Amino acid sequence: MGGEIAGIVLAGGQSRRMGGGDKGLLDLGGRPVIAHVIARLGCTRAISANGDPARFAGFGLPVLPDSLPDWPGPLAGVLAGMDWAAGQGIPRIVTAAADTPFFPRDLAARLGAVEAPVVMATSGGDHPAFAAWDVSLRDDLRAALVAGTRRMRDWMDAQGAVRVEIPGEDPFFNINTPADLDAARRRLAEGPQWT
Ligand SMILES: Nc1nc2c(ncn2[C@@H]2O[C@H](COP(=O)(O)OP(=O)(O)OP(=O)(O)O)[C@@H](O)[C@H]2O)c(=O)[nH]1
């Protein structure tokens, strides 16, 4: 599929399993976890998160508050990304989670190459935070949220999302707990392929 695709990093949420704060701002090898995600995604154009945008100022990207701020969950962040991209005249976004620093660098190209309105990454299970979305779906997504849809997977299944298998060794390892952060630091120490 041709056309521009804008990377949106989902960085909101409550980080309850981590004990609060922003998982993306935790240190991993001398830089924040989200810096790894921004670099790997390659086409990052915005960060999706509620709260004070100043905490992300160092990345030089717009910080998008959730389109439905009282609606917890990453789908509201996806909608914010779609609304922002539509305003920029960009037809498609690809989303990545700010707490997942080791996915392949060609992820956006792999998802963007599939000609479908919703493309979900999978590797030993679905990873709905990693997906490509046509922004033309935003009014449908808004309506679904208002109607009570909460889980990304439910909405994507309703849309008949195409699945793309992403290669790699546990490519969507994500940092939810302090033990996960320790494991990520150990993985980083394994070699330059993870930096
Ligand atoms: N924009 C936005 N992103 C979110 C929201 N909730 C979660 N995310 C992001 O979606 C990804 C997956 O989030 P989870 O780990 O399921 O939820 P979390 O709130 O970060 O963590 P827990 O409270 O421990 O479940 C992470 O990158 C989060 O930053 C939200 O309400 N808005």
Side-chain angles (χ1 to χ4, degrees):
M1 171 181 272
E4 190 179 357
I5 191 163
I8 308 289
V9 177
L10 302 172
Q14 298 188 43
S15 302
R16 282 161 296 202
R17 287 165 286 176
M18 189 58 78
D22 289 292
K23 288 183 284 186
L25 295 179
L26 295 168
D27 181 82
L28 179 61
R31 55 192 178 131
V33 176
I34 193 174
H36 295 258
V37 175
I38 290 169
R40 283 186 172 261
L41 193 57
C43 59
T44 308
R45 297 284 303 275
I47 294 169
S48 155
N50 286 322
D52 186 356
R55 67 198 195 279
F56 297 111
F59 303 105
L61 294 164
V63 180
L64 315 175
D66 290 353
S67 290
L68 298 169
D70 298 329
W71 190 261
L75 263 182
V78 172
L79 180 56
M82 287 177 166
D83 286 340
W84 176 83
Q88 304 288 316
I90 300 171
R92 222 167 180 216
I93 64 170
V94 58
T95 54
D99 62 3
T100 305
F102 300 124
F103 59 87
R105 296 178 193 279
D106 63 354
L107 176 102
R110 285 175 180 270
L111 298 182
V114 179
E115 201 163 332
V118 191
V119 183
M120 196 192 309
T122 179
S123 174
D126 291 339
H127 296 274
F130 291 83
W133 316 68
D134 284 6
V135 303
S136 59
L137 294 174
R138 66 191 187 284
D139 289 337
D140 290 347
L141 176 54
R142 199 181 325 274
L145 284 166
V146 169
T149 299
R150 192 171 214 121
R151 296 175 66 228
M152 295 181 97
R153 191 185 318 256
D154 291 344
W155 194 77
M156 296 173 99
D157 285 344
Q159 294 295 316
V162 170
R163 265 79 170 167
V164 170
E165 187 73 24
I166 301 298
E169 190 184 323
D170 196 7
F172 297 111
F173 171 83
N174 65 319
I175 298 170
N176 288 317
T177 65
D180 293 336
L181 183 59
D182 287 344
R185 288 173 173 159
R186 285 196 298 275
R187 186 188 280 215
L188 201 66
E190 287 171 9
Q193 71 273 27
W194 299 121
T195 56

